[in-house]
Structures are given as structure tokens and as C-alpha cells.
């Protein structure tokens, strides 16, 4: 079964507020592959492990019918409460038990979620529900992020990574899938035509508040909070203070560039 890490209403609300949609480079990589494999136009696209729907809403801009699924009722409620296009719907279900008929899905996508799935069972479901000639697009961003702002980008990134390193001490062992660039997920994909891209770089426009909010939304931070709430809160407060001082600004709304590296596993059945 899927590892359940994003269940609480509080965590889901933070996730909705601070998690970002797939970046432009990742979007273009996926859409170009689907065009190449003639999976566009597609009738039915499913976003598995959709969380609060950031990736689902991107897909809805390009496809006729998009269904976001997640095991967490709280996440799905956040997704439903967020305005989206009329061609989007959401379902609560495990990634390994998708309520779709055999060979009925044109594109099966998953953004920053597949490392939480039971990979073997999920791949069996992908094989079952994706139609012949249909595609999968499974992606995540990695932990090696950086910040850019004026001439203090290096110092800012150092502050961010020092905080991130503290948080990552509370990581679930599922992080290994990301650290290995989704190699195991790529190898498990049962489609004959597949490829893995590990160097997609995206600039995500953020504010200082949003960067700190992103850290708060991470599952290891939530574990840290359960173990030592005072230390966890203090770490984020101190990190924000250091960032603002380094930038020479006082407003949490000050924009920064947040750079992420994506891994993407693509396949055609």
C-alpha cells in the first residue's frame, strides 16, 4: 500500500498553500513526449497521488478529462476546495487500486508522489489501466535546490541547505527513490518504450515566506514537528530571519528565484 504521510488537515492545508505546480521546463518535457508518442489529444488523463491538485490543474489545461486521485481525504478536500477547470474531478483511492477499467486511461501521470507508492503494485495497475499506445509520466523534484537573489545567492542557498539538512534527518526511507534519481521506478515500469531524464531544471518564482512554507510542507518537517515542535518551529523562524538579513530586506513577501531539478520517467505502452 501507499505510505501515508500527508493525512492531516493541517498538513494538507500547508501543502495546498505552499507546494508549487510543475515548472515550465518539466511541463514542456512531458507535453513534448506525449506529442511525439501521439498520446495527444487524450480523452482521459489520471494524476495519481495528486495531493492538493497542483499537477492536476496543469494537466487540465491540456486535456479533455482529468481525474486526480489520492489516498488522503484531507488532500482531496483541499484539491476540491481550490478553484479549477470544469474538466477536473477528484477521487480518494490508493495508487495501487485505481477505479478505472482495463485499457481506459490515455495518460497516467504522477508528480512528486510515486516514491510513496508500493512500486510493484502500482506498476501492475499502470499496465492494467493504460490503453495500448497510452503513456505514463512520473516525475519528482530532488532535494538539491538553490536560491538566487542579487549577489547573495550563494549565501542564501547555504542557509536554505543548512535548514534542509536538519529537516532531512527526519526523512522516511522512501527518500532513497529520489536520491537514486527514480532509477528503481524507471526499471519497474513494464512498458517497452521508456526513458528517464534526470536533469530538468526549473526556476520557480517564490517569496521568502513561500520558501519557508515549502520547508514546512515537507513530510520530514512534519515528523520533526511531532518529535520536537519547539525545535522545529525555531529552526524555520531562525532560517527566515537569516535569509532576510542576508538579503538586506525586511519583508517576507520579497521575491526570490527557487531553482529545482526534476527527474522524469516517461513511457509508452
Amino acid at each position: 500500500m501507499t505510505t501515508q504521510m500527508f493525512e492531516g488537515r493541517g498538513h494538507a492545508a500547508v501543502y495546498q498553500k505552499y507546494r508549487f505546480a510543475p515548472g515550465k521546463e518539466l511541463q514542456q518535457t512531458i507535453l513534448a513526449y506525449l506529442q511525439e508518442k501521439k498520446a495527444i489529444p487524450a480523452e482521459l488523463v489520471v494524476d495519481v497521488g495528486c495531493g492538493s491538485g497542483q499537477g492536476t490543474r496543469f494537466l487540465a489545461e491540456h486535456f479533455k478529462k482529468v481525474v486526480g486521485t489520492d489516498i488522503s481525504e484531507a488532500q482531496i478536500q483541499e484539491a476540491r476546495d481550490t478553484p479549477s477547470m470544469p474538466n477536473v474531478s477528484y477521487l480518494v483511492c490508493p495508487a495501487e487500486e485505481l477505479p478505472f477499467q482495463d485499457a481506459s486511461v490515455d495518460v497516467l501521470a504522477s508528480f512528486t508522489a510515486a516514491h510513496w507508492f508500493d512500486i510493484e503494485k502500482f506498476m501492475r495497475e499502470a499496465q492494467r489501466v493504460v490503453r495500448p499506445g497510452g503513456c505514463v509520466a512520473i516525475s519528482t523534484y530532488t532535494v538539491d535546490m538553490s536560491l538566487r537573489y542579487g549577489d547573495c545567492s550563494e549565501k542564501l542557498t547555504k542557509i536554505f541547505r543548512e535548514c534542509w539538512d536538519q529537516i532531512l534527518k527526519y526523512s522516511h526511507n522512501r527518500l532513497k527513490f529520489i536520491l537514486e534519481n527514480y532509477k528503481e521506478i524507471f526499471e519497474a515500469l513494464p512498458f517497452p518504450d521508456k526513458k528517464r531524464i534526470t536533469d530538468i531544471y526549473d526556476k520557480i518564482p517564490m517569496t521568502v515566506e513561500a520558501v519557508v512554507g515549502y520547508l514546512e510542507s515537507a513530510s520530514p518537517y512534519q515528523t520533526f514537528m511531532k518529535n520536537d515542535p519547539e525545535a522545529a518551529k525555531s529552526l524555520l523562524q531562525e532560517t527566515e530571519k537569516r535569509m532576510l538579513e542576508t538579503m538586506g530586506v525586511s519583508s517576507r513577501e520579497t521575491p526570490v528565484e527557487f531553482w529545482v531539478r526534476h527527474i522524469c520517467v516517461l513511457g509508452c505502452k
Side-chain angles (χ1 to χ4, degrees):
M1 288 291 287
T2 301
T3 303
Q4 295 177 238
M5 294 290 290
F6 304 86
E7 290 288 274
R9 284 308 303 265
H11 191 185
V14 170
Y15 203 90
Q16 169 58 39
K17 186 173 182 182
Y18 293 116
R19 284 296 172 113
F20 43 87
K24 285 188 169 53
E25 289 297 321
L26 177 62
Q27 291 183 24
Q28 287 168 8
T29 299
I30 292 170
L31 292 172
Y33 181 82
L34 297 180
Q35 289 275 15
E36 177 196 336
K37 299 300 174 184
K38 298 183 171 50
I40 296 175
E43 290 293 312
L44 174 60
V45 178
V46 178
D47 179 17
V48 187
C50 68
S52 45
Q54 285 84 344
T56 321
R57 291 188 287 277
F58 146 62
L59 293 168
E61 295 171 11
H62 300 277
F63 300 104
K64 189 172 180 180
K65 181 182 179 184
V66 181
V67 181
T69 75
D70 202 281
I71 198 169
S72 165
E73 290 185 20
Q75 290 281 4
I76 290 295
Q77 193 56 55
E78 286 291 339
R80 286 176 176 153
D81 289 346
T82 303
S84 59
M85 296 168 70
N87 58 332
V88 174
S89 60
Y90 293 100
L91 294 170
V92 177
C93 68
E96 305 82 1
E97 297 171 29
L98 299 172
F100 302 99
Q101 294 181 351
D102 295 0
S104 64
V105 175
D106 296 292
V107 177
L108 192 70
S110 183
F111 300 96
T112 321
H115 45 281
W116 297 113
F117 304 163
D118 180 316
I119 304 301
E120 188 180 337
K121 289 181 179 177
F122 171 66
M123 291 304 179
R124 278 207 297 269
E125 275 296 82
Q127 178 78 315
R128 181 183 71 78
V129 302
V130 174
R131 66 164 175 80
C135 292
V136 299
I138 302 169
S139 68
T140 188
Y141 43 78
T142 63
V143 297
D144 49 342
M145 300 159 179
S146 61
L147 295 170
R148 294 185 195 170
Y149 182 85
D151 59 1
C152 62
S153 301
E154 201 172 311
K155 288 180 183 174
L156 213 51
T157 296
K158 185 170 182 285
I159 292 165
F160 174 83
R161 287 188 175 165
E162 283 172 1
C163 177
W164 199 213
D165 286 346
Q166 289 291 108
I167 292 170
L168 289 176
K169 289 176 184 175
Y170 294 88
S171 290
H172 195 280
N173 61 12
R174 293 293 181 122
L175 185 69
K176 69 179 182 180
F177 290 109
I178 298 174
L179 297 177
E180 293 167 359
N181 287 317
Y182 267 22
K183 182 173 181 286
E184 196 170 326
I185 289 170
F186 170 72
E187 290 172 351
L189 181 63
F191 296 178
D193 181 344
K194 60 183 179 178
K195 66 179 179 178
R196 178 175 61 126
I197 308 166
T198 61
D199 56 353
I200 303 165
Y201 291 91
D202 259 311
K203 176 179 73 174
I204 312 293
M206 300 271 261
T207 61
V208 173
E209 179 193 4
V211 170
V212 175
Y214 165 75
L215 290 166
E216 184 186 355
S217 77
S219 60
Y221 179 79
Q222 298 294 315
T223 305
F224 188 8
M225 274 288 288
K226 286 178 185 145
N227 279 270
D228 193 341
E230 288 308 311
K233 288 176 192 171
S234 175
L235 175 65
L236 289 194
Q237 287 167 356
E238 181 62 23
T239 297
E240 182 176 292
K241 181 168 174 270
R242 289 175 68 200
M243 286 173 66
L244 292 172
E245 285 173 355
T246 299
M247 294 163 69
V249 299
S250 58
S251 173
R252 305 175 73 220
E253 299 304 314
T254 304
V256 294
E257 290 181 8
F258 191 59
W259 283 84
V260 298
R261 178 173 68 88
H262 293 286
I263 308 157
C264 192
V265 172
L266 299 160
C268 184
K269 187 174 176 185

